[in-house]
Amino acid sequence: MNTATVSDAETPRSLKARILGTPSVGPLLVLLGFCVIFALTNPRFLATHNLSIILQQTVIIGVLAIGQTLVILTAGIDLAVGAICVLGTIVAGKLVNLGYDPVLSMGFAILLCTAAGLAAGGLVSGLRLPPFIVTLGILGILTAALRLISEGGAFPVRDPFLAWTGNTMKLGGFVLTYGVLIMFTLYAAVWYLLNQTKWGRHTYAIGNNAEAARLVGIPVRRHLLSVYVLAGLIYGIAAWLALGRIPNADPNAMQSANLDSITAVVIGGTSLFGGRGGLIGTLIGALIVGVLRNGLTLAGIDPLWQDLVTGILVIIAVALDQMSRRKS
Amino acid sequence: MNTATVSDAETPRSLKARILGTPSVGPLLVLLGFCVIFALTNPRFLATHNLSIILQQTVIIGVLAIGQTLVILTAGIDLAVGAICVLGTIVAGKLVNLGYDPVLSMGFAILLCTAAGLAAGGLVSGLRLPPFIVTLGILGILTAALRLISEGGAFPVRDPFLAWTGNTMKLGGFVLTYGVLIMFTLYAAVWYLLNQTKWGRHTYAIGNNAEAARLVGIPVRRHLLSVYVLAGLIYGIAAWLALGRIPNADPNAMQSANLDSITAVVIGGTSLFGGRGGLIGTLIGALIVGVLRNGLTLAGIDPLWQDLVTGILVIIAVALDQMSRRKS
Amino acid sequence: EEVIIGLVTKTEVNPFFVKMRQAAEARAAEKGVKLIARAGKFDGDNEGQVAAIEDLISAGAKGILVTPNNSSGMLDVIKKAREAGVLVIALDTATDPADAVDATFATDNFEAGVQQGAYARKAMGDKQAVVAMLDGTPGGTVDTFRHDGYLKGFGIAEGDPSIAGAAITNGAQDKGQVGMENLLSKNGDINAVYTINEPAAAGAYAALKSFGKEADVMLTSIDGGCAGVRDVKDGKIAATVMQFPYKMASMGVDAVVEYAASGKKPSGFVNTGSFLITDKPVEGLESKDTAWGLENCWGD
Amino acid sequence: MADNPPHVVLEARNVVKTYGHVTALDGVDFELRAGEILAVVGDNGAGKSTLIKTLTGAVHPTSGDILLDGAPVHFKGPLDARHAGIETVYQDLAVAPALDIAANLFLGRELRAPGLLGRLFRRLDKTRMREEARRAMGELKFRLPAIDNPVESLSGGQRQGVAVARAALFARKLVIMDEPTAALGVRETGQVLELIRSIRDRGLPVALISHNMPNVFDIADRIHIMRLGRRAAVVTPKTHSMNDVVAIMTGAATA
Amino acid sequence: MADNPPHVVLEARNVVKTYGHVTALDGVDFELRAGEILAVVGDNGAGKSTLIKTLTGAVHPTSGDILLDGAPVHFKGPLDARHAGIETVYQDLAVAPALDIAANLFLGRELRAPGLLGRLFRRLDKTRMREEARRAMGELKFRLPAIDNPVESLSGGQRQGVAVARAALFARKLVIMDEPTAALGVRETGQVLELIRSIRDRGLPVALISHNMPNVFDIADRIHIMRLGRRAAVVTPKTHSMNDVVAIMTGAATA
Ligand SMILES: Nc1ncnc2c1ncn2[C@@H]1O[C@H](COP(=O)(O)OP(=O)(O)OP(=O)(O)O)[C@@H](O)[C@H]1O
Ligand SMILES: Nc1ncnc2c1ncn2[C@@H]1O[C@H](COP(=O)(O)OP(=O)(O)OP(=O)(O)O)[C@@H](O)[C@H]1O
Ligand SMILES: [Mg+2]
Ligand SMILES: [Mg+2]
């Protein structure tokens, strides 16, 4: 008698359990909740033009947060996101202003960002240093290097190719920049990588239990390296998007990108201890931050109070998410 | 025959293994190494007066890093260190300037900081929210609250009691402020707590394996709460020390205290995953940061290059530490 | 022995201070003295600036030029420096009390704000104003002076109903753009914009343009960086108020060199001046055109 | 069974525990009597560990009652159970890998130094804890590295030894052990069975989960058989053979 | 032993492994021959797990040689061993608790979808992996919740089943199992022993660490006895009794 094998014990999960079990549903509900509240306080909030603006404002942090998600999923943390992205804008801008071909310039800049990711990944995987320290060190090095390259000042970048990602197109009532489309494309592509390929499986496994991953024969170090390299590449693309949004290369830009991108990841439900979470949550997390900032302004909240309200709402957002999870 | 019991298998560890095995030896060697290098580049570095200065400069981050260490040992992270400390300076300063008794004012301010710790701990332990989000939220709330309390601007605080911690005394050639002494006293006291009491054991156990701690009957939530409360108290004391160093209450101060204190903790060898590390390492980590900044200035290094050199040296410091550990 | 001059600026984040440092370095090289520069990490980093001054005293600086983050934040350490025989000169921002330092070479930021506000008001004629305020870092001394000055020049008080809203930009272009976008979404009638500095103004301009409103809004600023002046010339910004970091820096270096040589100390407040730069002058307000501006601007 | 069975110390009545769509316990009853060694056996996934977790407050039952000495109890967490004198060896051991052997042995029950140092300064008595730990582990006759080695450097069996020694050291009312000999060698298993007997002889009943039938038949007074989240039967080694028990476990027979 | 013993597939010669001041392996020799089931027994802490970790590249020996088919090998990590066709069940199981059963079963060996999707887009074949996993676990006749449940929600024995099934599924040259039945029930243990026999019958030798003497004597062709980090003896179930083996393990007798 072997009635008790896999097959017959496998009760299909109820639809409700399935929906509530999907990790990004909590953040999504929170996002929608905030939207409803803001729409009630100010009907302009829902104007397609305003929603388009929010999307455009989310692009840079949204894309940086993709790389940050990858790194955090491996139980790391990346404090150099902003610096690497600025590296891309400055190098591309500088080269174009020196008369080089814009496509090559941008390509080279993205390559450099990828190389910065390679350096971080090399130190983390090769010397097994804590990612916090490695990326903090790289942040310091790049901060200095960028100021030296740009001689301390920001400079405008007027090349149409570099600014191309800022061009807009209409879609229904929405005004979308190409940058917004690229952001969504990147999310889709990296989501696919994370959820439909071996590479993604290994990323989760390493973050969840690095020793087990090593023992089953996953090349942990090489994989970690690839994660940081891909993150660097993504930061490079974010640099292009940043130039589209602000055609100005400024060594001092993106000071708050670290905190903002980590915040998006964590609000999106990904664990800072690695191995748990996902990319859709991050996108929603980034949107929550954007919606809060925009919605509070539209609600006429004094900027002095905005930090306060944002602080409270972020805590509430995550608390609601936790609760919905515990229920399921 | 039971020759193979505990007692006879217990070979005494060699002195070298013992020394190298002590977790804070790596950072200490790095600190001494940096001191030697800086002394060679500029003999003024070793002047007792200069060394006294470095100690004084380390006081605030050094004390904040005590609380940060406690929180990180429980596998948490505290992004509100700076904001809570500034809360202390502003409230104490405001009350004294309004004519209240300075001792009561400072006491009340410290109490308020402790309450902020209580709030953080309550959300972390009660609602089981991620410490990152909780303290980020509190940071936002306090940032706004402080600007509102101080009506936007910084103000001088001239009360002698509040500034008392900045008074100096001579000790050999050294000029020590009372603040420096308080810092060392706090390190000694919290070191005792962590290493010689049940409370400390439980702190490590929770950070190392929270579920095991719960199963053996440690009141995990209550304990977490106590950790955040103690951290808040320490940030309050840091506020007093800050007023001694700079008799000025500024709502915009200490924005880099988060990163700086976490850096000191991590350089000191404490794991961001909790349960491993110690307080002595943190003190050394804070001193390393202070020595770097002072030493590079005395070496006449351009501020642009200072970031770069600091970035590299921090990575090297931790790399050396890791290597010394792997050896032992 | 080599003369060492210390320079402690607010941050390396703000191009104004970067240019000030570069000017000081150039001047020091000219005079054959050694300049050691340090900066705070962020607006409000009093501790970083205090530590910098302490380190510079340790390093044996003859004189220290400092742009205090806030006017009362570092009185003690300045006193310590002066007691150690170091000449201390405040650049750009005065201390409170002003005689805490030997001398102050600075612009009156409140006055600069007044110039910005007055220009905006006059240039708009009788149009009913709807104002957006793009602030820097609330609580900073300069931020407060410029903000309050603008309101005074514009002739309104804090809380006036014509103020449609405010945003915190930290003087950064990206935050200026986001703040302006959100304010425009909130109130499409905005027709006057105060900005804390020219990067914030550049961000505001981008937002205005994406809303198709760049022509109808009185966008003004303060700084006098060359990029800003060019924006005035291109009509993106209606007017800006120029300050002179080069002048402050080189005067400061000169003073320390003089002190090292002769022991003579400068004293008092030296206003390095501020000029309204616009190609559309209004009556009753003295201003210079962008041609003059481009000759005298800082940066590149 | 005797006409006048000893009184029931720990009891569970109709306990249900579901995890989402998985039913781990499906209305289980449980009785641990004074002075007995009760073995709990059952297939993997039968719900043994979940059952003992509900008994010690580590998990809250979805429904059903737990009674201690006949009175209903509601343990909020393992701490409450510990206060009631119940000690448990969990299957996943509940050790803090970075802490040393002595620290793990006394985890949650640290000894304070005598005198002022202990009372006022709440100083730990590390020396005494280390000595006691050495003694306790020595009794189990384990080959161990130094007592101040972190538990993460121990072999699987050595770790289990630490968890077992801890429960034995502190029990005041009863002991529950979830597969305490799973990773143990022959000699060490013998030592642990010895220890279990000595606990019973101290007057404390022991509930022992084990898959090792010879051990179970060697030591148990009664055998509680779990099947699919329920109690299939309670038998004694005298009335039933190993094969009988295995047949009940797998559902091939009923008691 | 036979006059012409089958050739040695995996061999260790005089391997030493020290951890700081602890000597885990003190010059151990090891031989796994073609077509055999070799049991490795020894007290807790005797060095069994360390030995097999050095054999699979999970740990680098301080000194000594490892030979595969007579040729020295230097595995840089477990990946190299896997490439050589060696599959291992580690004592601490090596599972990623947050991933589901199917994902853990195929961890490091994921299947790609057929056709363009797989070749070009490197898409995983999740359906097939799930089915294969169901089949593999079904063979072990474990009671399991749905195959897409995370491993952390499994019982101790169920987790072990996952690790065992994984090794059985992928072995091409030889299999090493470190206490694969420690947490298993009677029925499940029987199934795993059955599985081990079928692996042997597929022509792959198996090294099996176990503390369960009846199991060892039931299944092993030869028994490698560890004591204090060395090989104390190699015996066969035919020539020695359980008591003999235990005596050698504890040092009370020599072979
Ligand atoms: N990482 C490590 N650091 C320090 N010592 C270790 C480490 N791993 C194992 N040891 C020590 O080496 C010895 C052998 O351990 P090993 O795990 O090989 O034993 P084992 O024979 O597998 O025991 P068990 O049957 O309990 O699993 C033990 O004394 C153990 O404490
Ligand atoms: N946290 C959990 N989430 C979901 N399911 C769980 C959880 N814990 C246990 N289960 C399920 O409940 C059932 C009973 O598990 P339990 O651990 O009690 O079994 P057990 O009898 O102890 O088995 P073993 O002998 O293998 O240890 C199993 O099917 C298991 O998958
Ligand atoms: Mg179990
Ligand atoms: Mg073992």
Side-chain angles (χ1 to χ4, degrees):
Chain A
M1 248 195 92
N2 52 346
T3 49
T5 53
V6 182
S7 27
D8 64 335
E10 225 181 295
T11 22
R13 298 166 69 177
S14 76
L15 190 68
K16 193 181 146 212
R18 262 172 200 282
I19 290 179
L20 282 178
T22 312
S24 36
V25 168
L28 185 62
L29 292 178
V30 170
L31 175 62
L32 294 178
F34 284 159
C35 286
V36 170
I37 295 172
F38 287 130
L40 292 177
T41 55
N42 188 340
R44 281 163 182 272
F45 176 83
L46 281 188
T48 50
H49 187 254
N50 189 53
L51 296 179
S52 313
I53 287 279
I54 296 178
L55 278 180
Q56 292 177 26
Q57 291 173 351
T58 307
V59 165
I60 300 172
I61 288 300
V63 171
L64 292 180
I66 298 176
Q68 186 71 264
T69 306
L70 292 176
V71 171
I72 289 179
L73 278 178
T74 67
I77 194 153
D78 197 337
L79 301 181
V81 267
I84 295 180
C85 182
V86 172
L87 174 73
T89 63
I90 299 256
V91 170
K94 201 89 196 168
L95 290 178
V96 164
N97 287 3
L98 287 174
Y100 289 97
D101 176 72
V103 179
L104 288 184
S105 303
M106 194 65 237
F108 181 74
I110 293 181
L111 211 69
L112 220 56
C113 294
T114 315
L118 182 76
L123 289 166
V124 167
S125 67
L127 296 182
R128 281 184 259 175
L129 301 183
F132 182 91
I133 288 293
V134 168
T135 54
L136 182 72
I138 290 185
L139 170 65
I141 295 170
L142 284 183
T143 305
L146 291 172
R147 287 177 186 159
L148 292 169
I149 298 176
S150 66
E151 286 143 18
F155 53 91
V157 180
R158 290 189 219 285
D159 179 81
F161 174 75
L162 294 193
W164 177 84
T165 59
N167 293 353
T168 54
M169 52 179 289
K170 297 234 153 153
L171 216 103
F174 286 88
V175 187
L176 300 183
T177 57
Y178 294 119
V180 173
L181 301 183
I182 293 178
M183 172 177 81
F184 284 123
T185 313
L186 279 175
Y187 266 94
V190 178
W191 178 88
Y192 180 88
L193 260 184
L194 272 179
N195 292 281
Q196 300 292 334
T197 74
K198 200 164 169 159
W199 188 88
R201 277 281 161 84
H202 292 185
T203 306
Y204 277 95
I206 289 174
N208 190 220
N209 186 348
E211 178 62 8
R214 188 180 80 91
L215 288 178
V216 300
I218 294 173
V220 174
R221 290 174 174 217
R222 187 142 46 86
H223 193 90
L224 274 179
L225 194 65
S226 76
V227 168
Y228 282 85
V229 167
L230 177 59
L233 173 67
I234 291 169
Y235 305 149
I237 297 174
W240 189 25
L241 304 180
L243 285 173
R245 188 159 156 75
I246 304 176
N248 194 51
D250 184 347
N252 299 310
M254 304 210 195
Q255 304 271 336
S256 57
N258 293 333
L259 201 59
D260 290 348
S261 62
I262 299 172
T263 303
V265 173
V266 178
I267 293 183
T270 293
S271 159
L272 284 176
F273 296 95
R276 292 158 201 270
L279 203 60
I280 300 184
T282 299
L283 178 58
I284 298 171
L287 287 171
I288 287 179
V289 173
V291 161
L292 276 179
R293 190 173 45 192
N294 175 280
L296 290 175
T297 303
L298 259 63
I301 309 257
D302 187 301
L304 286 181
W305 287 93
Q306 285 192 15
D307 279 334
L308 195 140
V309 180
T310 307
I312 295 174
L313 290 181
V314 163
I315 291 179
I316 291 179
V318 175
L320 289 176
D321 178 26
Q322 296 279 82
M323 279 177 214
S324 84
R325 248 169 247 232
R326 232 165 281 156
K327 279 270 165 58
S328 79
Chain B
M1 251 196 88
N2 52 343
T3 49
T5 54
V6 181
S7 27
D8 63 333
E10 226 180 293
T11 23
R13 297 165 70 179
S14 75
L15 191 67
K16 194 182 144 208
R18 261 173 199 282
I19 291 180
L20 282 177
T22 312
S24 34
V25 169
L28 184 62
L29 292 179
V30 171
L31 174 62
L32 294 179
F34 284 159
C35 286
V36 169
I37 295 171
F38 287 131
L40 292 178
T41 55
N42 189 341
R44 281 165 181 273
F45 177 81
L46 281 189
T48 51
H49 183 255
N50 189 53
L51 295 178
S52 313
I53 287 281
I54 297 178
L55 278 180
Q56 292 177 26
Q57 292 173 351
T58 308
V59 164
I60 300 173
I61 289 300
V63 170
L64 292 178
I66 298 176
Q68 187 70 264
T69 305
L70 292 175
V71 171
I72 289 180
L73 277 178
T74 67
I77 194 152
D78 196 336
L79 301 181
V81 268
I84 296 179
C85 182
V86 172
L87 174 73
T89 63
I90 299 253
V91 169
K94 201 89 198 169
L95 290 177
V96 164
N97 287 1
L98 287 174
Y100 289 97
D101 176 71
V103 179
L104 288 183
S105 302
M106 194 67 236
F108 180 75
I110 292 180
L111 211 70
L112 219 58
C113 294
T114 315
L118 182 75
L123 289 166
V124 168
S125 68
L127 296 182
R128 280 183 259 175
L129 302 183
F132 182 91
I133 288 292
V134 168
T135 55
L136 182 72
I138 290 183
L139 169 66
I141 295 169
L142 285 182
T143 304
L146 291 173
R147 284 178 183 157
L148 293 167
I149 299 176
S150 66
E151 284 142 18
F155 54 90
V157 179
R158 290 190 218 286
D159 178 79
F161 174 76
L162 294 194
W164 179 84
T165 58
N167 294 353
T168 54
M169 53 178 288
K170 298 234 154 153
L171 215 102
F174 287 88
V175 187
L176 300 182
T177 59
Y178 293 120
V180 172
L181 301 182
I182 292 178
M183 172 177 81
F184 283 123
T185 312
L186 280 174
Y187 266 94
V190 178
W191 178 88
Y192 180 88
L193 261 182
L194 272 179
N195 291 282
Q196 300 292 336
T197 75
K198 198 163 168 158
W199 188 89
R201 277 280 161 86
H202 292 186
T203 306
Y204 276 95
I206 289 173
N208 191 221
N209 185 347
E211 178 62 8
R214 188 180 80 90
L215 289 178
V216 300
I218 294 174
V220 174
R221 291 176 173 215
R222 188 144 42 88
H223 192 90
L224 274 180
L225 194 65
S226 75
V227 167
Y228 282 86
V229 168
L230 177 58
L233 174 66
I234 290 169
Y235 304 149
I237 297 174
W240 191 25
L241 303 181
L243 285 173
R245 196 160 150 68
I246 305 177
N248 192 56
D250 185 343
N252 288 319
M254 302 209 198
Q255 291 177 39
S256 60
N258 294 333
L259 201 59
D260 291 348
S261 62
I262 299 171
T263 304
V265 173
V266 178
I267 292 184
T270 293
S271 159
L272 283 175
F273 296 95
R276 290 156 203 268
L279 203 60
I280 300 185
T282 299
L283 178 57
I284 298 172
L287 286 173
I288 287 180
V289 174
V291 162
L292 274 180
R293 189 172 49 185
N294 174 281
L296 290 174
T297 301
L298 259 62
I301 308 250
D302 190 294
L304 286 183
W305 290 95
Q306 285 195 14
D307 278 336
L308 197 141
V309 177
T310 307
I312 295 174
L313 290 183
V314 164
I315 292 179
I316 291 180
V318 176
L320 289 177
D321 178 28
Q322 295 280 84
M323 279 178 215
S324 83
R325 247 169 247 234
R326 231 166 283 156
K327 279 270 166 58
S328 80
Chain C
E1 201 184 318
E2 187 178 33
V3 174
I4 295 176
I5 302 180
L7 172 68
V8 181
T9 49
K10 279 185 200 175
T11 64
E12 274 287 326
V13 176
N14 188 330
F16 186 85
F17 298 111
V18 175
K19 291 301 161 191
M20 182 184 274
R21 171 175 57 74
Q22 288 172 345
E25 274 165 356
R27 190 65 164 200
E30 242 172 66
K31 296 270 176 181
V33 295
K34 175 165 182 176
L35 186 97
I36 301 179
R38 281 271 296 263
K41 285 193 195 159
F42 53 88
D43 278 343
D45 188 6
N46 304 317
E47 167 61 30
Q49 290 200 308
V50 169
I53 294 183
E54 288 172 342
D55 291 346
L56 288 166
I57 301 172
S58 255
K62 195 75 198 162
I64 295 175
L65 315 174
V66 56
T67 60
N69 246 314
N70 84 50
S71 48
S72 57
M74 42 190 41
L75 300 179
D76 285 10
V77 74
I78 289 173
K79 191 160 150 246
K80 221 165 90 183
R82 293 178 70 189
E83 280 167 7
V86 180
L87 174 71
V88 180
I89 297 173
L91 300 185
D92 179 62
T93 307
T95 53
D96 179 16
D99 62 4
V101 289
D102 290 295
T104 307
F105 304 160
T107 312
D108 185 337
N109 275 300
F110 183 79
E111 188 49 39
V114 171
Q115 282 173 292
Q116 186 191 167
Y119 176 85
R121 181 65 272 178
K122 288 213 161 135
M124 287 174 74
D126 321 324
K127 232 200 286 178
Q128 175 67 37
V130 182
V131 185
M133 305 292 293
L134 295 189
D135 291 321
T137 305
T141 305
V142 172
D143 188 74
T144 310
F145 278 150
R146 290 183 179 178
H147 178 105
D148 294 350
Y150 180 90
L151 293 181
K152 173 150 189 272
F154 206 86
I156 52 180
E158 193 69 66
D160 191 279
S162 66
I163 300 175
I168 294 171
T169 69
N170 302 121
Q173 181 166 354
D174 51 351
K175 290 192 181 164
Q177 182 169 349
V178 169
M180 192 72 238
E181 283 169 347
N182 290 342
L183 287 170
L184 284 170
S185 250
K186 177 187 175 209
N187 188 334
D189 299 332
I190 288 171
N191 59 11
V193 178
Y194 155 83
T195 57
I196 177 73
N197 64 0
E198 287 152 2
Y205 177 78
L208 288 167
K209 200 167 159 208
S210 80
F211 276 73
K213 289 201 182 301
E214 72 272 25
D216 326 330
V217 172
M218 177 55 52
L219 176 61
T220 52
S221 195
I222 301 187
D223 251 6
C226 292
V229 176
R230 273 193 297 273
D231 283 345
V232 176
K233 185 163 180 246
D234 298 345
K236 295 178 178 172
I237 304 177
T240 192
V241 181
M242 181 178 286
Q243 301 188 335
F244 301 92
Y246 287 177
K247 199 158 143 195
M248 298 173 197
S250 46
M251 281 170 67
V253 172
D254 289 351
V256 179
V257 172
E258 168 75 30
Y259 170 66
S262 68
K264 224 177 82 197
K265 293 185 178 181
S267 67
F269 184 92
V270 180
N271 191 341
T272 51
S274 55
F275 286 91
L276 190 64
I277 308 288
T278 178
D279 286 334
K280 296 184 205 113
V282 295
E283 217 162 299
L285 274 182
E286 196 186 321
S287 66
K288 305 270 191 190
D289 64 10
T290 54
W292 185 91
L294 284 172
E295 268 166 39
N296 293 279
C297 67
W298 49 268
D300 39 31
Chain D
M1 284 174 219
D3 284 350
N4 205 355
H7 89 281
V8 175
V9 179
L10 185 63
E11 186 175 358
R13 284 192 195 149
N14 198 23
V15 167
V16 174
K17 175 69 197 177
T18 58
Y19 291 103
H21 57 296
V22 176
T23 303
L25 297 179
D26 193 15
V28 71
D29 298 312
F30 173 89
E31 281 170 11
L32 178 66
R33 303 213 164 138
E36 76 170 346
I37 295 175
L38 175 73
V40 178
V41 300
D43 271 355
N44 293 122
K48 305 178 296 298
S49 296
T50 308
L51 171 61
I52 69 118
K53 280 190 179 162
T54 60
L55 293 174
T56 63
V59 144
H60 295 281
T62 310
S63 70
D65 301 307
I66 315 286
L67 296 90
L68 190 64
D69 286 331
V73 283
H74 295 278
F75 294 145
K76 281 210 212 70
L79 185 58
D80 291 351
R82 208 189 83 198
H83 282 319
I86 301 176
E87 280 298 321
T88 314
V89 177
Y90 291 98
Q91 190 169 11
D92 36 17
L93 297 185
V95 288
L99 298 190
D100 67 23
I101 300 173
N104 265 290
L105 213 73
F106 283 89
L107 202 58
R109 264 152 303 208
E110 290 78 4
L111 302 180
R112 279 220 294 267
L116 205 68
L117 267 181
R119 245 178 308 125
L120 201 62
F121 295 106
R122 316 197 135 249
R123 187 189 169 97
L124 291 177
D125 196 341
K126 289 190 184 175
T127 331
R128 212 173 107 223
M129 285 195 283
R130 236 178 260 136
E131 265 159 29
E132 289 269 316
R134 233 177 244 126
R135 202 190 45 68
M137 296 307 296
E139 246 169 43
L140 282 174
K141 301 213 177 64
F142 270 59
R143 184 193 172 215
L144 273 188
I147 209 87
D148 57 354
N149 265 42
V151 162
E152 62 198 340
S153 74
L154 295 187
S155 82
Q158 291 168 336
R159 282 182 217 192
Q160 197 151 39
V162 173
V164 170
R166 176 166 66 195
L169 204 56
F170 294 105
R172 291 190 337 269
K173 176 116 202 150
L174 61 93
V175 181
I176 304 181
M177 297 192 180
D178 195 351
E179 308 197 21
T181 61
L184 295 190
V186 178
R187 188 167 57 82
E188 292 83 353
T189 300
Q191 296 293 344
V192 168
L193 294 183
E194 205 44 60
L195 183 75
I196 292 175
R197 277 201 196 91
S198 79
I199 294 172
R200 195 240 334 252
D201 297 347
R202 257 157 66 195
L204 310 185
V206 179
L208 166 73
I209 298 182
S210 176
H211 289 301
N212 188 318
M213 285 302 143
N215 286 350
V216 164
F217 272 77
D218 180 14
I219 198 173
D221 297 310
R222 297 189 310 143
I223 303 173
H224 167 127
I225 307 173
M226 293 284 291
R227 177 166 157 68
L228 300 176
R230 297 164 146 275
R231 178 166 72 179
V234 181
V235 303
T236 71
K238 283 169 207 135
T239 55
H240 288 69
S241 72
M242 287 198 208
N243 284 342
D244 295 342
V245 170
V246 172
I248 299 172
M249 254 163 66
T250 55
T254 51
Chain E
M1 282 171 217
D3 283 350
N4 206 354
H7 90 280
V8 175
V9 179
L10 186 62
E11 185 175 357
R13 283 192 197 148
N14 196 22
V15 167
V16 174
K17 176 70 197 179
T18 57
Y19 290 103
H21 57 295
V22 177
T23 302
L25 296 179
D26 193 15
V28 69
D29 298 313
F30 174 89
E31 281 169 14
L32 179 66
R33 303 207 164 144
E36 77 171 346
I37 294 175
L38 175 73
V40 178
V41 301
D43 272 355
N44 293 122
K48 304 180 294 299
S49 297
T50 308
L51 171 62
I52 68 116
K53 281 190 180 163
T54 61
L55 293 174
T56 63
V59 144
H60 295 281
T62 310
S63 70
D65 301 308
I66 315 286
L67 297 89
L68 190 65
D69 286 331
V73 284
H74 294 278
F75 294 145
K76 280 208 213 70
L79 184 59
D80 290 350
R82 209 189 82 200
H83 283 318
I86 301 176
E87 280 298 321
T88 314
V89 178
Y90 290 98
Q91 189 170 11
D92 37 17
L93 298 185
V95 289
L99 299 189
D100 68 21
I101 299 173
N104 265 289
L105 213 72
F106 284 87
L107 202 59
R109 264 152 302 210
E110 291 77 4
L111 301 179
R112 280 219 294 267
L116 206 69
L117 267 181
R119 243 176 313 126
L120 201 63
F121 296 106
R122 318 198 131 248
R123 188 188 169 98
L124 291 177
D125 195 340
K126 289 191 183 174
T127 331
R128 215 176 104 221
M129 284 195 283
R130 235 177 260 137
E131 265 158 29
E132 289 271 314
R134 230 176 246 126
R135 201 190 45 67
M137 298 306 298
E139 247 170 40
L140 282 174
K141 304 213 174 65
F142 270 59
R143 185 194 173 214
L144 273 188
I147 208 86
D148 58 354
N149 265 42
V151 162
E152 63 199 339
S153 74
L154 296 187
S155 81
Q158 291 167 335
R159 281 181 218 190
Q160 197 151 39
V162 174
V164 170
R166 177 166 65 193
L169 205 54
F170 293 105
R172 291 189 339 268
K173 175 116 202 150
L174 60 93
V175 181
I176 304 181
M177 298 192 177
D178 195 352
E179 308 196 20
T181 62
L184 295 190
V186 178
R187 189 168 56 81
E188 292 84 353
T189 300
Q191 295 292 343
V192 168
L193 295 182
E194 204 45 61
L195 184 74
I196 291 175
R197 274 200 198 92
S198 79
I199 294 173
R200 196 241 332 251
D201 296 347
R202 258 156 65 197
L204 310 184
V206 178
L208 166 73
I209 297 181
S210 176
H211 290 300
N212 188 317
M213 285 302 142
N215 285 350
V216 164
F217 272 76
D218 181 12
I219 199 173
D221 297 309
R222 297 191 306 143
I223 303 173
H224 166 128
I225 307 172
M226 293 285 292
R227 175 165 160 69
L228 299 177
R230 300 164 146 274
R231 179 167 70 179
V234 183
V235 303
T236 71
K238 283 169 205 135
T239 55
H240 289 69
S241 73
M242 286 198 208
N243 283 343
D244 294 341
V245 170
V246 171
I248 298 172
M249 254 164 63
T250 54
T254 50

